[in-house]
Amino acid sequence: MYRILFFLFLLPNFCLSQSLEELEDALKAAQDKNNAEEIIFTHKKLQSYYAKVTDWENFTRQYLEIAAQYYYQDDMNAFQSYADSALLAAQQYDIDSYSEVYSLIWNYLGIHYSYIGDTEKALMTFLKDLEISESLSKIDSTYDDLSLGQSYENIATQYSTLGDYSKAFDYYTLALQKYDPQDKSTATAYVNLGVDYQKQEKYQRAAHYFNQALEIFNQLKNDQEYVSNEIWVYKQLTVLSNDMKHFDDSYKYLEQVNELTPNKNDLDAAWYYQVRGGTDLQIGNLSDAEQHFFKALTIYTSLLPEKHPDLSACLDEIGDYYRKLESHEQALNYYHSALVALLPSFNANAVEVNPTIEQAKYDIESLVILKHKAQSLRAVNKLQASKSTLQLAIQLIDQIRYNYLAEGS
């Protein structure tokens, strides 16, 4: 963090012969070409310019612009580093703590904390962002309602993660009051509300919000980004229909996902095959389930790293398929492989071996796989290994309960 700040101070004066207007024109040209490397380079040149004229607010803002570029590239380490540097610069140069720059800093740091799973810190920083955004909106009638709405929604998602759906609903309501009713942001909030109601098993309310989101995305069909969002909603409707045991609807929504997925070898296609296989399995269509599961597995193994939750989920479902066939040895192998794919530091080959409590993840996915593995170990008469697997699951339950109570406090 400190090294980045120091480096930018010591940049050679390669840009100082250029005027601000020339640098802004260069930035626009890079943006028109969607050239991320050139955009970042130009923001660094702008930063040197602002350092020369001692405009420290715009100097700091360039850190945030660079951070945003790394966010778009899914480079979350660089994103965090530049967001941290922006905070350091803002503190060093006494930038107004109620400025838009500080609002963005807290927003970006909230995104970082949310990404690494630190929900409490994410909520705290998003609330700081909101405090500034609300203050700015009161003194500036032209302040962007969309930004304020996104601040509300960021807080809503954190309360949702904490299981406080009442507070989440309140903040989603505030966000929706700021959004254009026919905008993507409104549709996204509807999907998030639908997911919250689905978690609470309020399926009719969930379906209502998913369909409202779909109506908006259907009106924006000409944009490929919105087609991707349509796929997202149809996925949610598929999972909801499976939860409700409405399998005819599940197949209908799955076919919508398939039709909207032009590349039959990408991750959307893998999701389609995996969930199609799971739906086949639930209605007892085992031959189709096998075909679809292994199509999904082929795509996942070609596109994803060996350690990935989506790969793990697919392996777990293939284990379910073999358990349904009463092929317990094969089921056990897939359940064990699912654990290996899920847990970063667990790599044991022997199916009797389990991760330590330190290696395990304190989440539902780990518990589900451990339960399945224990059942298969018992089915093949590895009773001691089954017992130790269940004991690990109980330890995880205790840890999850402890973490939940600690967050609640």
Side-chain angles (χ1 to χ4, degrees), residues 33-92:
K33 292 185 290 185
N34 199 25
N35 186 324
E37 185 177 342
E38 197 172 318
I39 291 170
I40 290 170
F41 183 66
T42 308
H43 278 301
K44 289 182 178 180
K45 293 171 79 174
L46 276 164
Q47 192 162 41
S48 286
Y49 173 87
Y50 287 123
K52 180 188 176 186
V53 299
T54 64
D55 182 345
W56 300 120
E57 185 163 334
N58 276 314
F59 172 88
T60 302
R61 189 183 291 272
Q62 303 314 304
Y63 281 127
L64 298 168
E65 297 288 356
I66 296 169
Q69 291 302 313
Y70 284 116
Y71 178 80
Y72 300 143
Q73 297 175 48
D74 290 326
D75 187 341
M76 297 305 288
N77 288 330
F79 171 78
Q80 177 205 352
S81 180
Y82 278 94
D84 284 343
S85 292
L87 178 60
L88 180 66
Q91 292 169 338
Q92 182 172 345

Side-chain angles (χ1 to χ4, degrees), residues 35 51 110 160 188 195 197 213 221 251 270 308 350 388:
N35 186 324
S160 175
T188 301
V195 171
Y197 279 114
K221 273 183 180 280
Y251 283 119
H308 196 282
S388 66

Side-chain angles (χ1 to χ4, degrees), residues 94 114 157 161-162 217 242 299 314 396:
D94 294 323
S114 180
T157 57
T161 301
L162 292 170
F217 288 134
N242 276 343
I299 297 172
C314 185
L396 283 181

